[in-house]
């Protein structure tokens, strides 16, 4: 994978831009915790990509070996999961029967992640890679459940969910792209990896501004 360093460097640049933009706005006292967690999630993406770039610059590999860079993806989706779970979700889903269908439909986020993981299980990758990707897939699936749910569930007063639907769409797409990236590594498919990386660049750079726009809309 001769062009891998360029893909990782591009993703580092875009995620750094997104994190710096968000840090300047939300990593301050008395700012919404929801927004801060999303910014920190993008910060995890940035750190994971920085680690991968440093490995490649120093002549080490990130394909076919265990790399701590995957923890950047895990950390990002832990923050995305935390931002939706709990207070935000309880605002829109009081546990009533009228919301059952949205809880059921939200399982599609988990199923999509699981279906993509099957390709990794069937790949020629080493067992440690399948286990590592499986742990990451579990976190992505958990976050994806709430992304799908909050894309579809009816809104409440002040537009908390409506204003963040696009963030949830982008985070869901980033989860799918992350799984596709794992698949590309599992099959050592450089072309697929470069295509996936291009879309990951766009989302990692835009997800915080999109979230920020939503926060400003519901704060009016």
């Amino acid at each position: 994978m001769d062009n891998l360093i360029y893909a990782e460097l591009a993703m580092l640049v875009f995620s750094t831009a997104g994190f710096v933009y968000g840090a300047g706005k939300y990593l301050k006292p008395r700012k919404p915790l929801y927004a801060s967690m999303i910014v920190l999630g993008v910060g995890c993406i940035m750190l994971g990509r920085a680690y991968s770039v440093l490995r490649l610059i120093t002549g080490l590999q990130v394909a076919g070996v265990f790399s701590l860079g995957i923890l950047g993806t895990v950390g990002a989706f832990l923050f995305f999961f935390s931002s939706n779970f709990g207070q935000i979700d309880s605002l829109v889903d009081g546990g009533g029967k009228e919301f059952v269908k949205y809880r059921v439909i939200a399982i599609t986020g988990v199923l999509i992640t699981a279906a993509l993981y099957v390709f990794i299980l069937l790949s020629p990758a080493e067992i440690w890679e399948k286990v590592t990707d499986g742990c990451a897939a579990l976190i992505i699936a958990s976050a994806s459940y709430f992304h799908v749910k909050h894309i579809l569930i009816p809104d409440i007063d002040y537009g908390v969910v409506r204003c963040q639907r696009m963030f949830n769409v982008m985070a869901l797409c980033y989860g799918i792209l992350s799984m596709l990236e794992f698949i590309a590594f599992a099959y050592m498919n450089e072309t697929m990896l470069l295509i996936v990386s291009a879309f990951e660049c766009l989302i990692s750079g835009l997800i915080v501004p999109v979230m920020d726009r939503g926060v400003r809309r519901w704060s009016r």
Side-chain angles (χ1 to χ4, degrees), residues 34 38 92 150-151 153 155-169 207 209-220:
Y34 173 87
I38 293 170
V92 296
H150 290 183
I151 289 168
I153 201 165
D155 207 355
I156 59 170
D157 293 341
Y158 308 113
V160 173
V161 175
R162 183 183 68 253
C163 292
Q164 290 302 335
R165 290 201 203 280
M166 187 52 66
F167 156 72
N168 282 295
V169 168
I207 198 167
V210 166
M211 175 276 296
D212 174 49
R213 183 170 177 245
V215 169
R216 286 186 282 111
R217 286 174 60 194
W218 95 50
S219 300
R220 289 175 183 173

Side-chain angles (χ1 to χ4, degrees), residues 8 15 17 22 25 64 119 140 149 152 155-156 161 184 189 192 202 209:
E8 291 288 348
S15 59
K25 283 178 169 283
F119 288 96
I140 292 171
K149 184 179 179 182
L152 300 174
D155 207 355
I156 59 170
V161 175
N189 188 325
M192 178 180 178
L202 291 175

Side-chain angles (χ1 to χ4, degrees), residues 1 3 16 20 22 24 58-59 72 100 112 123 131 134 138 147 174 185 208:
M1 293 191 175
N3 296 310
T16 299
V20 170
T58 55
V100 169
I112 290 171
S123 75
V131 172
L138 183 63
H147 293 317
Y174 193 82
F185 274 118
V208 171

Side-chain angles (χ1 to χ4, degrees), residues 177 190-200:
L177 289 168
E190 183 177 21
T191 301
M192 178 180 178
L193 182 63
L194 294 176
I195 293 171
V196 169
S197 297
F199 287 103
E200 286 180 310

